Amino acid sequence: MNPSRPLIGALLSFLSVSFVHTPSPALAQTCGSAGLAMQVLGSGGPEVEDKRASTSYLIWENGRARVVLDAGGGSALRFGESGARMSQVDVFLFSHFHVDHSSDFPALVFSSWFGDRTRPLPVYGPSGNEIMPSTTEFVHDLFSDPHGAWRYLSEMVEPNPEGTYELQPHNVAPTSVPVLVFRNTGMAVYAVSVVHGAFPALAWRVEIAGRRIVFSGDTNGEGQGLTQLASGADIFVAHNAVPEGATGLERRLHMPPSVIGTIAANAHVKQLVLSHRMLRTLGKEDETQTEIRRRYSGPIRFANDLDCFPLN
Ligand SMILES: [Zn+2]
């Protein structure tokens, strides 16, 4: 008797169980399969040392990933891990075009080139200025002939009959009060300009299935626009990029916990989610929470990659 045969049989049986019949975790959708949910794809800032994907969020409705907001580094992998498919997405929103909010956009687009999307994809983001491209410039700088970095995908912006689908970028004009930007079945999307140093930036509100999901994006919290936008939000995602007491450039770009707490309280938000966590705020959660608690009494959650917030 050849003693190796049972071993080989056992090994084959193990392989068939482990690799054929077990669903891949990368394809298992666990968020938003029924009802409404917001999923954090990237909870980090620009630093890779935080071991988090950079900013990105998904809104699920009944198993469909309907809205993507931002696509920072690492978030394309998280998008795949979430089980989302680009063919499901109704609209792609950008808060602004810093690398940690936009660098995985071409990765998602090229991934979707292999998928089954045929309908156009609207892409909304800020207008540009002398230091940042507008949303239309950003998309064309990536994909257009003859100067786009990935002009081999120019069919995404200059459709031809053999192309897959068309990216349709739009610039949102600066606005100090929330404006309706996009509508789709059962969904309305509003934006307002926020202050992020000299970089054009938007905060976003998605109204869907009777709920309001609001994303601050990166901002120092100046002005009343964000409070108006966040009014009555079921979830307010605020960026915890700097600790209390931050000064100089950090403070000109980002809001400390006291400002987040004031906005959350004044807007009467029902739940606060803190994301865009950086080395300078990670480990300071107790202090951050204490500062916010002085002003805001609702639930506070610190986000991690792939966290799911159901809204049923
Ligand atoms: Zn950022």
Side-chain angles (χ1 to χ4, degrees):
M1 181 180 165
N2 182 345
S4 68
R5 289 187 72 99
L7 276 177
I8 291 170
L11 180 62
L12 286 173
S13 153
F14 168 78
L15 286 172
S16 71
V17 167
S18 300
F19 300 111
V20 178
H21 298 301
T22 305
S24 162
L27 296 175
Q29 183 195 333
T30 56
C31 183
S33 54
L36 187 68
M38 189 279 293
Q39 187 166 27
V40 177
L41 296 182
S43 62
E47 303 147 304
V48 294
E49 295 89 343
D50 61 20
K51 300 188 173 62
R52 294 162 183 270
S54 300
T55 303
S56 185
Y57 307 101
L58 262 187
I59 295 177
W60 289 98
E61 189 181 25
N62 296 325
R64 286 181 56 213
R66 296 197 62 189
V67 180
V68 184
L69 189 139
D70 284 351
S75 67
L77 174 61
R78 297 285 184 254
F79 184 95
E81 289 173 330
S82 79
R85 284 179 286 123
M86 281 289 281
S87 60
Q88 302 168 327
V89 176
D90 290 320
V91 65
F92 209 109
L93 310 174
F94 279 107
S95 65
H96 64 300
F97 292 109
H98 275 155
V99 171
D100 58 313
H101 296 255
S102 59
S103 70
D104 266 11
F105 181 66
L108 284 173
V109 168
F110 191 36
S111 171
S112 69
W113 190 87
F114 297 90
D116 55 0
R117 188 180 187 100
T118 53
R119 63 187 168 129
L121 176 60
V123 180
Y124 289 87
S127 303
N129 65 7
E130 61 284 354
I131 55 171
M132 292 298 264
S134 68
T135 304
T136 53
E137 284 173 328
F138 176 77
V139 170
H140 286 280
D141 286 352
L142 294 177
F143 299 119
S144 285
D145 250 345
H147 299 300
W150 292 290
R151 52 191 174 270
Y152 77 97
L153 289 174
S154 63
E155 67 177 62
M156 307 303 299
V157 288
E158 294 143 15
N160 64 59
E162 281 146 40
T164 52
Y165 70 94
E166 181 186 0
L167 296 169
Q168 294 181 331
H170 306 274
N171 303 329
V172 177
T175 173
S176 60
V177 293
V179 292
L180 176 65
V181 170
F182 176 79
R183 254 188 205 287
N184 199 316
T185 314
M187 173 167 66
V189 180
Y190 295 78
V192 72
S193 296
V194 290
V195 179
H196 184 42
F199 303 100
L202 298 170
W204 288 97
R205 179 174 79 221
V206 178
E207 297 184 2
I208 181 169
R211 303 287 192 160
R212 292 181 160 205
I213 305 169
V214 176
F215 303 91
S216 73
D218 286 2
T219 177
N220 66 8
E222 271 177 44
Q224 287 305 304
L226 179 55
T227 303
Q228 291 171 20
L229 189 82
S231 176
D234 293 278
I235 292 182
F236 176 43
V237 181
H239 283 185
N240 182 213
V242 296
E244 200 62 30
T247 57
L249 180 64
E250 289 182 11
R251 181 63 188 89
R252 290 200 295 280
L253 292 174
H254 295 289
M255 48 188 176
S258 56
V259 173
I260 294 174
T262 298
I263 293 171
N266 290 343
H268 304 287
V269 308
K270 295 175 185 136
Q271 181 174 8
L272 175 62
V273 174
L274 298 170
S275 189
H276 200 288
R277 304 170 68 187
M278 296 181 61
L279 298 182
R280 55 202 183 195
T281 52
L282 285 161
K284 294 183 179 162
E285 287 75 15
D286 287 349
E287 298 96 306
T288 296
Q289 191 150 323
T290 299
E291 285 296 336
I292 293 172
R293 273 275 166 264
R294 288 186 175 140
R295 297 153 181 93
Y296 170 72
S297 57
I300 301 170
R301 289 270 302 273
F302 288 90
N304 294 309
D305 287 13
L306 294 175
D307 277 356
C308 180
F309 296 85
L311 277 162
N312 293 328

